[in-house]
Amino acid sequence: MPDFGICHLPVVPIRAEAFDKSEQISQLLFGEAVTIIEVTPKWTHVRCNFDGYEGWIDSKQYQSINESVAEQLTTVHQYVALDVLNKAQNTAKQPIQLPIGSTLPAFDGTAFGWENNPYYFFGKTVVAGSVALTDKLESIALSFLNAPYQWGGRSPLGIDCSGFTQVVFKILGKKLKRDAWQQAEQGVLVNFIEEVKEGDLVFFDNEEGKIIHVGIALNHHKIIHASGCVRIDKLDHNGIFNTETKKYSHNLRIIKRVL
């Protein structure tokens, strides 16, 4: 029977290999559960229960939980933090800042926690999937505006293109896979740029035809995406037109509707 863990820190890097200089391939946000694959004195090989992504985390950067808590976090619509940064504290009144999209297990309006780890929360919350999508999608996406690009990042302090789309859609109650090419396999194909709606995922490829970038379509032929930072640019049948350089930065490949 597998063991399980939970991210009890604001953000924890997931690395490709079990050493500090290894590439960061993703991150865990506070409250996300993992399945333990292998444990060493310093490193733990995990599978993120939210998206199935695997990698190595520091063995000091998670807490063990039982199977019932892990199952609840995986299968039930959870409360998530909605402010860009959210203040919480444990019973010893030690503060912790939680990024937007953090999961708040068993939140009752004031407190949350698991087993013997209670926290008090001071910020805005929403039950993932309960917001009115047409009204809230753009405002949630704009919460990340100007967040710096970081390979493997999933927080407003550093985020990559597919991490951005994944966390926004997590708040909206839709599970996306981790990488852009994986997300491109989800949803329903939108055949023409003229049919694009706000919230559609737009994918872009390189010269070899490999999907390397993703963003979220907004109204008025615009797209919000992580490229250098989370930014808004123009979108047309060719791709992304960078409003600063006045050049196309990404070549349009396909459009998918997942909402």
Side-chain angles (χ1 to χ4, degrees), residues 103-125:
T103 300
L104 310 177
F107 183 64
D108 64 6
T110 302
F112 67 93
W114 56 92
E115 299 171 353
N116 295 317
N117 295 277
Y119 292 82
Y120 299 102
F121 185 76
F122 310 94
K124 295 179 182 178
T125 65

Side-chain angles (χ1 to χ4, degrees), residues 10-210:
V11 178
V12 167
I14 301 176
R15 302 193 182 277
E17 299 179 64
F19 59 94
D20 287 313
K21 292 184 178 181
S22 177
E23 171 190 23
Q24 175 181 266
I25 56 174
S26 191
Q27 292 176 334
L28 294 173
L29 300 182
F30 183 96
E32 292 183 334
V34 296
T35 300
I36 308 301
I37 300 172
E38 179 184 354
V39 179
T40 73
K42 180 171 173 51
W43 296 94
T44 300
H45 189 197
V46 301
R47 179 185 304 111
C48 180
N49 290 6
F50 180 74
D51 58 17
Y53 221 62
E54 292 187 16
W56 293 85
I57 63 175
D58 189 310
S59 295
K60 300 184 295 296
Q61 294 185 335
Y62 73 94
Q63 291 180 350
S64 296
I65 55 174
N66 62 43
E67 185 175 5
S68 63
V69 174
E71 183 177 351
Q72 180 190 40
L73 289 171
T74 303
T75 59
V76 178
H77 284 300
Q78 297 291 308
Y79 278 92
V80 294
L82 199 55
D83 289 327
V84 174
L85 289 176
N86 303 263
K87 181 182 177 181
Q89 66 181 31
N90 59 21
T91 52
K93 296 186 177 180
Q94 295 175 330
I96 182 170
Q97 295 290 336
L98 309 183
I100 184 173
S102 295
T103 300
L104 310 177
F107 183 64
D108 64 6
T110 302
F112 67 93
W114 56 92
E115 299 171 353
N116 295 317
N117 295 277
Y119 292 82
Y120 299 102
F121 185 76
F122 310 94
K124 295 179 182 178
T125 65
V126 66
V127 176
S130 66
V131 295
L133 300 182
T134 54
D135 296 332
K136 298 296 184 180
L137 183 144
E138 183 174 354
S139 65
I140 292 170
L142 289 176
S143 298
F144 292 86
L145 199 62
N146 291 313
Y149 182 89
Q150 180 186 100
W151 182 266
R154 295 177 69 229
S155 90
L157 298 180
I159 201 161
D160 64 22
C161 66
S162 54
F164 168 62
T165 54
Q166 188 190 54
V167 176
V168 170
F169 278 75
K170 174 187 177 181
I171 296 169
L172 298 174
K174 181 69 177 182
K175 286 189 176 183
L176 294 183
K177 296 178 182 179
R178 181 58 183 89
D179 293 332
W181 67 269
Q182 295 174 314
Q183 294 177 7
E185 297 174 348
Q186 299 179 252
V188 177
L189 185 67
V190 177
N191 291 310
F192 302 102
I193 190 72
E194 293 79 13
E195 298 175 353
V196 170
K197 295 182 179 180
E198 181 180 78
D200 287 346
L201 292 176
V202 190
F203 297 90
F204 307 86
D205 60 11
N206 59 15
E207 293 180 354
E208 290 75 38
K210 180 180 179 180

Side-chain angles (χ1 to χ4, degrees), residues 200-235:
D200 287 346
L201 292 176
V202 190
F203 297 90
F204 307 86
D205 60 11
N206 59 15
E207 293 180 354
E208 290 75 38
K210 180 180 179 180
I211 290 176
I212 58 169
H213 192 63
V214 60
I216 302 172
L218 301 177
N219 291 323
H220 309 296
H221 309 291
K222 293 182 179 180
I223 184 169
I224 184 167
H225 63 124
S227 179
C229 65
V230 176
R231 54 181 292 122
I232 297 174
D233 286 306
K234 294 181 179 179
L235 176 68

